[in-house]
Coordinates of all heavy atoms in Angstrom, one line a residue:
M283 N 7.0 27.4 -17.2 CA 7.3 28.6 -16.4 C 8.8 28.9 -16.5 O 9.5 28.1 -16.2 CB 6.9 28.4 -14.9 CG 7.2 29.6 -14.0 SD 5.9 30.8 -13.8 CE 6.6 32.0 -12.8
A284 N 9.1 30.1 -16.9 CA 10.6 30.5 -17.0 C 11.2 30.6 -15.6 O 10.4 30.9 -14.7 CB 10.6 31.9 -17.7
E285 N 12.5 30.4 -15.6 CA 13.2 30.5 -14.4 C 13.7 32.0 -14.2 O 14.1 32.5 -15.1 CB 14.4 29.6 -14.4 CG 14.2 28.2 -14.1 CD 13.9 27.9 -12.5 OE1 14.6 28.3 -11.8 OE2 12.8 27.4 -12.3
P286 N 13.5 32.6 -13.0 CA 14.0 33.9 -12.7 C 15.7 33.8 -12.7 O 16.2 32.8 -12.5 CB 13.5 34.2 -11.4 CG 13.3 32.9 -10.7 CD 13.0 31.9 -11.8
V287 N 16.2 35.0 -13.1 CA 17.7 35.1 -12.9 C 18.0 35.3 -11.4 O 17.3 35.9 -10.7 CB 18.1 36.4 -13.6 CG1 19.6 36.7 -13.3 CG2 17.8 36.3 -15.1
I288 N 19.1 34.6 -10.9 CA 19.5 34.7 -9.6 C 20.4 36.0 -9.5 O 21.4 35.9 -10.0 CB 20.4 33.5 -9.0 CG1 19.5 32.3 -9.2 CG2 21.0 33.7 -7.8 CD1 20.2 30.9 -9.0
A289 N 19.8 37.1 -8.9 CA 20.5 38.4 -9.0 C 21.6 38.4 -8.0 O 22.7 38.8 -8.3 CB 19.5 39.4 -8.6
H290 N 21.4 37.8 -6.8 CA 22.3 37.7 -5.7 C 22.0 36.4 -4.9 O 20.8 36.2 -4.6 CB 22.4 38.8 -4.8 CG 22.8 40.1 -5.6 ND1 24.0 40.3 -6.0 CD2 22.0 41.2 -5.9 CE1 24.1 41.5 -6.7 NE2 22.9 42.0 -6.7
R291 N 22.9 35.9 -4.2 CA 22.6 34.8 -3.2 C 22.7 35.1 -1.9 O 23.3 34.4 -1.0 CB 23.6 33.6 -3.6 CG 23.5 32.9 -5.0 CD 24.6 31.8 -5.2 NE 24.5 31.5 -6.5 CZ 23.8 30.4 -6.9 NH1 23.2 29.6 -6.1 NH2 23.8 30.0 -8.2
A292 N 22.1 36.2 -1.6 CA 21.9 36.8 -0.3 C 20.8 37.8 -0.4 O 20.7 38.5 -1.3 CB 23.2 37.5 0.3
P293 N 20.1 38.0 0.7 CA 19.0 39.0 0.8 C 19.5 40.6 0.9 O 20.7 40.7 1.3 CB 18.2 38.7 2.1 CG 19.3 38.1 3.0 CD 20.2 37.3 2.1
A294 N 18.7 41.4 0.4 CA 19.0 42.9 0.6 C 18.5 43.3 1.9 O 17.2 43.3 2.0 CB 18.4 43.6 -0.5
V295 N 19.2 43.5 3.0 CA 18.6 43.9 4.2 C 18.6 45.5 4.3 O 19.6 46.1 4.2 CB 19.5 43.4 5.4 CG1 19.1 43.8 6.6 CG2 19.8 41.9 5.3
L296 N 17.4 45.9 4.3 CA 17.2 47.4 4.2 C 16.2 47.9 5.3 O 15.3 47.1 5.7 CB 16.5 47.7 2.8 CG 17.1 47.3 1.5 CD1 16.3 47.4 0.4 CD2 18.5 48.1 1.4
Q297 N 16.4 49.2 5.6 CA 15.5 49.8 6.5 C 14.5 50.6 5.6 O 14.9 51.5 5.0 CB 16.3 50.8 7.4 CG 15.3 51.6 8.3 CD 14.6 50.9 9.5 OE1 15.4 49.9 9.9 NE2 13.4 51.2 9.9
L298 N 13.2 50.2 5.6 CA 12.3 50.8 4.6 C 11.3 51.8 5.4 O 10.9 51.4 6.6 CB 11.4 49.8 3.9 CG 12.3 48.9 3.0 CD1 11.2 48.0 2.1 CD2 13.0 49.7 1.9
E299 N 10.9 52.9 4.8 CA 10.0 53.8 5.3 C 8.6 53.4 4.8 O 8.5 52.6 3.8 CB 10.4 55.2 4.8 CG 11.7 55.6 5.4 CD 11.7 55.6 7.0 OE1 10.6 56.2 7.6 OE2 12.7 55.2 7.6
P300 N 7.5 53.8 5.4 CA 6.2 53.4 4.9 C 6.0 53.9 3.5 O 6.6 54.9 3.1 CB 5.3 54.3 5.9 CG 6.1 54.4 7.1 CD 7.5 54.6 6.7
G301 N 5.3 53.0 2.8 CA 5.1 53.3 1.3 C 4.9 52.0 0.5 O 4.9 50.9 1.1
T302 N 4.7 52.0 -0.8 CA 4.6 51.0 -1.7 C 5.8 50.8 -2.4 O 6.4 51.7 -3.0 CB 3.3 51.1 -2.5 OG1 2.1 51.3 -1.7 CG2 3.1 50.0 -3.5
Y303 N 6.2 49.5 -2.5 CA 7.4 49.1 -3.2 C 7.2 48.1 -4.2 O 6.1 47.3 -4.3 CB 8.4 48.7 -2.3 CG 8.8 49.6 -1.1 CD1 8.1 49.8 0.0 CD2 10.0 50.5 -1.4 CE1 8.5 50.7 0.9 CE2 10.2 51.5 -0.5 CZ 9.6 51.6 0.7 OH 9.9 52.5 1.7
H304 N 8.1 47.9 -5.2 CA 7.8 46.9 -6.4 C 9.0 46.0 -6.4 O 10.2 46.4 -6.9 CB 7.6 47.6 -7.7 CG 6.2 48.3 -7.7 ND1 6.2 49.6 -7.3 CD2 5.0 47.8 -8.0 CE1 4.8 49.9 -7.4 NE2 4.1 48.9 -7.8
W305 N 8.9 44.8 -5.8 CA 10.0 43.9 -5.7 C 10.1 43.2 -7.1 O 9.1 42.8 -7.7 CB 9.7 42.8 -4.7 CG 10.6 41.7 -4.5 CD1 11.9 41.7 -4.0 CD2 10.3 40.3 -4.9 NE1 12.4 40.6 -4.0 CE2 11.6 39.6 -4.6 CE3 9.3 39.6 -5.5 CZ2 11.7 38.2 -4.8 CZ3 9.5 38.2 -5.7 CH2 10.6 37.6 -5.4
C306 N 11.4 43.1 -7.6 CA 11.7 42.4 -8.8 C 11.5 41.0 -8.7 O 12.2 40.4 -7.8 CB 13.2 42.8 -9.2 SG 13.7 41.8 -10.5
R307 N 10.7 40.4 -9.6 CA 10.5 38.9 -9.5 C 11.4 38.2 -10.4 O 11.7 37.1 -10.4 CB 9.1 38.7 -9.8 CG 8.5 37.8 -8.9 CD 7.1 37.3 -9.3 NE 6.1 38.4 -9.4 CZ 5.0 38.3 -8.9 NH1 4.6 37.4 -7.9 NH2 4.1 39.3 -9.1
C308 N 11.8 38.9 -11.6 CA 12.5 38.4 -12.7 C 14.0 38.2 -12.4 O 14.6 37.4 -13.0 CB 12.3 39.1 -14.0 SG 13.2 40.8 -14.1
G309 N 14.6 39.0 -11.6 CA 16.0 39.0 -11.3 C 16.9 39.8 -12.3 O 18.0 39.8 -12.1
R310 N 16.3 40.5 -13.2 CA 17.1 41.1 -14.2 C 17.3 42.6 -13.9 O 18.1 43.3 -14.6 CB 16.3 41.2 -15.6 CG 16.1 39.7 -16.2 CD 15.3 39.7 -17.3 NE 15.1 38.4 -17.8 CZ 15.5 37.8 -18.9 NH1 16.2 38.7 -19.6 NH2 15.3 36.7 -19.2
S311 N 16.5 43.2 -12.9 CA 16.6 44.5 -12.6 C 18.1 44.9 -12.2 O 18.8 44.2 -11.5 CB 15.7 44.9 -11.4 OG 16.0 46.1 -10.9
K312 N 18.6 46.1 -12.5 CA 19.8 46.6 -12.1 C 19.8 47.4 -10.8 O 20.8 47.8 -10.3 CB 20.4 47.5 -13.2 CG 20.6 46.8 -14.5 CD 21.8 45.9 -14.4 CE 22.2 45.2 -15.8 NZ 21.5 43.9 -15.9
T313 N 18.6 47.5 -10.2 CA 18.4 48.2 -9.0 C 17.7 47.4 -7.9 O 16.8 47.6 -7.3 CB 17.5 49.5 -9.2 OG1 16.2 49.0 -9.8 CG2 18.1 50.5 -10.1
Q314 N 18.3 46.1 -7.9 CA 17.9 45.0 -6.9 C 17.8 45.6 -5.5 O 18.6 46.4 -5.1 CB 18.8 43.8 -6.9 CG 18.7 43.0 -8.2 CD 17.4 42.4 -8.5 OE1 16.7 42.1 -7.4 NE2 17.0 42.1 -9.6
P315 N 16.8 45.2 -4.7 CA 15.8 44.1 -5.0 C 14.5 44.7 -5.7 O 13.6 43.9 -5.8 CB 15.4 43.6 -3.6 CG 15.5 44.9 -2.8 CD 16.7 45.5 -3.5
F316 N 14.6 46.0 -6.3 CA 13.4 46.6 -6.8 C 13.4 46.4 -8.3 O 14.4 46.5 -8.9 CB 13.3 48.0 -6.3 CG 13.3 48.1 -4.8 CD1 14.3 48.7 -4.1 CD2 12.2 47.6 -4.1 CE1 14.5 48.7 -2.6 CE2 12.3 47.7 -2.6 CZ 13.3 48.2 -2.0
C317 N 12.1 46.7 -8.8 CA 12.0 46.6 -10.4 C 12.4 47.8 -11.0 O 12.2 48.9 -10.5 CB 10.5 46.3 -10.6 SG 10.0 46.4 -12.3
D318 N 13.2 47.7 -12.1 CA 13.5 48.8 -12.9 C 12.9 48.7 -14.3 O 13.3 49.4 -15.2 CB 15.0 48.8 -13.0 CG 15.7 47.9 -13.8 OD1 15.1 46.9 -14.3 OD2 17.0 48.0 -14.0
G319 N 12.0 47.8 -14.4 CA 11.4 47.6 -15.7 C 12.0 46.6 -16.7 O 11.5 46.4 -17.8
S320 N 13.1 46.2 -16.3 CA 13.9 45.1 -17.2 C 13.0 43.9 -17.4 O 13.5 43.0 -18.3 CB 15.2 44.7 -16.6 OG 16.0 45.9 -16.3
H321 N 12.0 43.5 -16.7 CA 11.1 42.4 -17.0 C 10.4 42.4 -18.3 O 9.9 41.5 -18.7 CB 10.2 42.0 -15.8 CG 9.2 43.3 -15.7 ND1 9.5 44.4 -15.0 CD2 8.0 43.5 -16.3 CE1 8.4 45.2 -15.0 NE2 7.5 44.7 -15.9
Q322 N 10.3 43.6 -18.8 CA 9.6 43.7 -20.1 C 10.1 42.8 -21.1 O 11.2 42.6 -21.4 CB 9.6 45.1 -20.7 CG 8.8 46.0 -19.8 CD 8.7 47.4 -20.3 OE1 9.0 47.7 -21.4 NE2 8.2 48.4 -19.6
G323 N 9.1 42.0 -21.8 CA 9.4 41.0 -22.8 C 9.5 39.6 -22.1 O 9.8 38.6 -22.9
T324 N 9.6 39.5 -20.7 CA 9.5 38.2 -20.2 C 8.1 38.0 -19.6 O 7.2 38.9 -19.7 CB 10.5 38.2 -18.9 OG1 9.9 38.9 -17.8 CG2 11.9 38.8 -19.3
E325 N 7.9 36.8 -19.0 CA 6.6 36.5 -18.4 C 6.5 37.0 -17.0 O 5.4 36.7 -16.3 CB 6.3 35.0 -18.5 CG 7.3 34.3 -17.6 CD 7.0 32.6 -17.9 OE1 7.3 32.2 -19.1 OE2 6.4 31.9 -17.0
F326 N 7.5 37.6 -16.5 CA 7.4 38.0 -15.1 C 6.9 39.5 -14.9 O 7.0 40.3 -15.9 CB 9.0 38.1 -14.6 CG 9.5 36.7 -14.4 CD1 10.3 36.2 -15.4 CD2 9.3 35.9 -13.3 CE1 10.9 34.9 -15.2 CE2 9.7 34.6 -13.2 CZ 10.5 34.2 -14.2
S327 N 6.5 39.8 -13.8 CA 5.9 41.2 -13.5 C 6.4 41.4 -12.0 O 6.5 40.4 -11.3 CB 4.4 41.3 -13.6 OG 3.8 40.3 -12.9
P328 N 6.6 42.6 -11.6 CA 7.0 42.9 -10.3 C 5.9 42.6 -9.2 O 4.6 42.6 -9.6 CB 7.3 44.4 -10.2 CG 6.5 44.9 -11.4 CD 6.5 43.8 -12.4
M329 N 6.2 42.4 -7.9 CA 5.2 42.2 -6.9 C 5.3 43.5 -6.0 O 6.3 43.9 -5.5 CB 5.6 41.0 -6.1 CG 4.8 40.9 -4.8 SD 5.4 39.6 -3.7 CE 4.8 38.2 -4.5
A330 N 4.2 44.1 -6.0 CA 3.9 45.3 -5.3 C 3.7 44.9 -3.8 O 3.0 43.9 -3.4 CB 2.7 46.1 -5.7
F331 N 4.3 45.6 -2.9 CA 4.0 45.4 -1.3 C 4.2 46.6 -0.7 O 4.7 47.6 -1.1 CB 5.1 44.3 -0.8 CG 6.5 44.8 -0.8 CD1 7.0 45.2 0.5 CD2 7.3 44.8 -1.9 CE1 8.3 45.6 0.6 CE2 8.6 45.2 -1.7 CZ 9.1 45.6 -0.5
T332 N 3.4 46.7 0.5 CA 3.4 47.8 1.2 C 3.9 47.7 2.7 O 3.9 46.6 3.3 CB 1.8 48.3 1.3 OG1 1.2 48.4 0.0 CG2 1.6 49.6 2.2
I333 N 4.7 48.8 3.0 CA 5.2 48.8 4.3 C 4.5 49.9 5.2 O 4.3 51.0 4.7 CB 6.7 49.2 4.3 CG1 7.5 48.1 3.6 CG2 7.3 49.5 5.7 CD1 7.7 46.8 4.4
D334 N 3.9 49.5 6.4 CA 3.0 50.4 7.1 C 3.8 51.2 8.0 O 3.3 52.3 8.4 CB 2.0 49.5 7.9 CG 0.9 48.9 7.0 OD1 0.7 49.5 5.7 OD2 0.4 47.8 7.2
Q335 N 4.9 50.7 8.7 CA 5.6 51.6 9.5 C 7.2 51.3 9.2 O 7.4 50.2 8.7 CB 5.2 51.1 11.0 CG 5.2 49.6 11.3 CD 4.6 49.4 12.7 OE1 4.3 50.3 13.5 NE2 4.6 48.2 13.0
P336 N 7.9 52.1 9.7 CA 9.4 52.0 9.4 C 9.8 50.5 10.0 O 9.5 50.1 11.1 CB 10.0 53.1 10.3 CG 9.1 54.1 10.4 CD 7.7 53.4 10.4
R337 N 10.6 49.8 9.2 CA 10.8 48.4 9.3 C 12.0 48.0 8.6 O 12.3 48.5 7.5 CB 9.7 47.6 8.9 CG 9.6 46.2 9.2 CD 8.3 45.5 8.7 NE 8.6 44.1 8.5 CZ 8.0 43.4 7.7 NH1 6.9 43.8 7.1 NH2 8.2 42.1 7.5
K338 N 12.9 47.2 9.3 CA 14.0 46.5 8.6 C 13.5 45.3 8.1 O 12.8 44.5 8.7 CB 15.2 46.3 9.6 CG 16.3 45.8 9.0 CD 17.5 45.4 10.0 CE 18.5 46.5 9.9 NZ 19.7 46.1 10.8
V339 N 13.8 45.0 6.7 CA 13.3 43.9 6.0 C 14.5 43.1 5.3 O 15.6 43.8 5.1 CB 12.3 44.2 4.9 CG1 11.1 44.8 5.5 CG2 12.9 45.1 3.9
A340 N 14.4 41.9 5.0 CA 15.4 41.1 4.2 C 14.7 40.6 3.0 O 13.9 39.7 3.1 CB 15.9 40.0 5.1
L341 N 15.0 41.3 1.9 CA 14.3 41.1 0.6 C 15.1 40.2 -0.2 O 16.2 40.2 -0.4 CB 14.0 42.4 -0.1 CG 13.1 43.4 0.6 CD1 13.1 44.8 -0.2 CD2 11.7 42.8 0.6
C342 N 14.3 39.1 -0.7 CA 14.9 38.0 -1.5 C 15.5 38.7 -2.8 O 14.9 39.5 -3.5 CB 13.8 37.1 -1.9 SG 14.4 35.9 -3.1
Q343 N 16.8 38.2 -3.2 CA 17.5 38.6 -4.2 C 17.8 37.3 -5.2 O 18.2 37.5 -6.4 CB 18.7 39.5 -4.0 CG 18.4 40.6 -3.3 CD 19.5 41.4 -3.1 OE1 19.6 42.6 -4.0 NE2 20.5 41.3 -2.5
C344 N 17.7 36.1 -4.6 CA 17.9 35.0 -5.5 C 16.5 34.6 -6.3 O 16.7 33.8 -7.2 CB 18.2 33.7 -4.5 SG 16.9 32.9 -3.7
K345 N 15.5 35.2 -5.8 CA 14.1 35.0 -6.6 C 13.5 33.7 -6.6 O 12.7 33.3 -7.3 CB 14.3 35.5 -8.0 CG 15.0 36.8 -8.3 CD 14.4 38.0 -7.5 CE 15.1 39.3 -7.6 NZ 14.7 40.4 -6.8
H346 N 14.0 32.9 -5.4 CA 13.5 31.5 -5.4 C 12.7 31.4 -4.0 O 12.3 30.3 -3.6 CB 14.6 30.5 -5.4 CG 15.1 30.2 -6.9 ND1 15.8 31.2 -7.6 CD2 14.8 29.3 -7.7 CE1 16.1 30.7 -8.8 NE2 15.5 29.4 -8.8
T347 N 12.6 32.5 -3.2 CA 11.8 32.4 -2.0 C 10.3 32.0 -2.1 O 9.8 32.2 -3.1 CB 11.8 33.8 -1.3 OG1 11.2 33.7 -0.1 CG2 11.2 34.8 -2.1
A348 N 9.9 31.2 -1.1 CA 8.5 30.8 -1.2 C 7.7 31.9 -0.3 O 6.5 31.7 -0.2 CB 8.3 29.4 -0.5
H349 N 8.3 32.9 0.2 CA 7.7 34.0 1.0 C 7.9 35.3 0.5 O 8.3 36.2 1.2 CB 8.0 33.9 2.4 CG 7.8 32.5 3.1 ND1 6.4 32.2 3.4 CD2 8.5 31.6 3.4 CE1 6.5 30.9 3.9 NE2 7.8 30.5 3.9
A350 N 7.8 35.4 -0.9 CA 8.0 36.7 -1.6 C 7.2 37.8 -0.9 O 6.1 37.7 -0.6 CB 7.8 36.6 -3.0
P351 N 7.9 39.1 -0.8 CA 9.3 39.4 -1.3 C 10.3 39.1 -0.2 O 11.5 39.5 -0.5 CB 9.1 40.8 -1.6 CG 8.2 41.4 -0.6 CD 7.1 40.2 -0.3
M352 N 10.0 38.5 0.8 CA 10.9 38.3 1.9 C 11.8 37.1 1.7 O 11.4 36.1 1.1 CB 10.3 38.2 3.2 CG 9.3 39.4 3.6 SD 10.3 41.0 3.5 CE 8.9 42.2 3.6
C353 N 13.0 37.1 2.2 CA 14.0 36.2 2.0 C 13.6 35.0 3.0 O 13.0 35.2 4.1 CB 15.3 36.6 2.5 SG 16.5 35.1 2.8
D354 N 13.6 33.6 2.4 CA 13.2 32.6 3.3 C 14.5 31.6 3.5 O 14.2 30.5 3.8 CB 11.9 31.8 2.8 CG 12.2 31.0 1.6 OD1 13.2 31.2 1.0 OD2 11.4 30.2 1.1
G355 N 15.6 32.0 3.0 CA 16.7 31.2 3.1 C 17.0 30.3 1.9 O 17.9 29.6 1.9
S356 N 16.1 30.3 0.9 CA 16.1 29.5 -0.3 C 17.6 29.6 -0.9 O 18.0 28.7 -1.6 CB 15.0 29.8 -1.3 OG 13.8 29.4 -0.7
H357 N 18.1 30.8 -0.9 CA 19.4 31.0 -1.6 C 20.6 30.0 -1.2 O 21.5 29.9 -1.9 CB 19.9 32.5 -1.2 CG 20.2 32.8 0.1 ND1 19.2 33.3 0.8 CD2 21.2 32.7 0.9 CE1 19.6 33.6 2.0 NE2 20.9 33.2 2.1
A358 N 20.4 29.5 0.0 CA 21.3 28.6 0.5 C 21.3 27.3 -0.1 O 22.3 26.5 0.0 CB 21.2 28.4 2.2
K359 N 20.2 27.0 -0.7 CA 20.1 25.6 -1.4 C 20.3 25.7 -3.0 O 20.0 24.6 -3.6 CB 18.6 25.1 -1.1 CG 18.3 25.0 0.5 CD 17.0 24.6 0.7 CE 16.3 25.1 1.9 NZ 15.1 25.8 1.7
L360 N 20.6 26.9 -3.4 CA 20.7 26.9 -4.9 C 22.0 26.5 -5.3 O 23.0 26.7 -4.6 CB 20.4 28.4 -5.4 CG 19.0 28.8 -5.0 CD1 18.9 30.3 -5.4 CD2 18.0 28.0 -5.8
Ligands
FES103 FE1 12.4 42.3 -12.5 FE2 10.7 44.1 -13.1 S1 12.9 44.2 -13.4 S2 10.3 42.3 -12.1

């Protein structure tokens, strides 16, 4: 299994509106924390997730979280 790129060692804290989002799993996207298609040619693919009501989230950007797409503090151990 390939290792993802560590995009940032801190989560992206965002207020999201209801909708479907695609979290970047590979770490290569230039529009972190979301997929921009840069995973093409790798074994990674984005993770789709849905927000049902307006909500503040902390999305993982180190790509090592065990609770994707949310930050679980793993960036502190890298
Ligand atoms: Fe990283 Fe698509 S750019 S999963």
Side-chain angles (χ1 to χ4, degrees):
M283 177 92 183
E285 280 288 304
V287 172
I288 297 171
H290 299 288
R291 290 176 191 266
V295 179
L296 301 171
Q297 178 72 32
L298 294 183
E299 296 302 315
T302 299
Y303 299 86
H304 292 86
W305 177 70
C306 168
R307 226 188 303 237
C308 73
R310 295 168 186 253
S311 173
K312 298 290 186 259
T313 57
Q314 292 294 331
F316 303 112
C317 175
D318 71 354
S320 297
H321 62 270
Q322 287 186 12
T324 74
E325 65 187 68
F326 293 96
S327 57
M329 173 184 283
F331 67 100
T332 301
I333 297 290
D334 293 330
Q335 54 191 349
R337 184 179 156 200
K338 187 181 253 189
V339 295
L341 294 171
C342 172
Q343 300 194 104
C344 78
K345 313 305 176 184
H346 285 71
T347 181
H349 300 291
M352 303 304 170
C353 173
D354 72 349
S356 291
H357 59 271
K359 301 179 214 126
L360 297 175

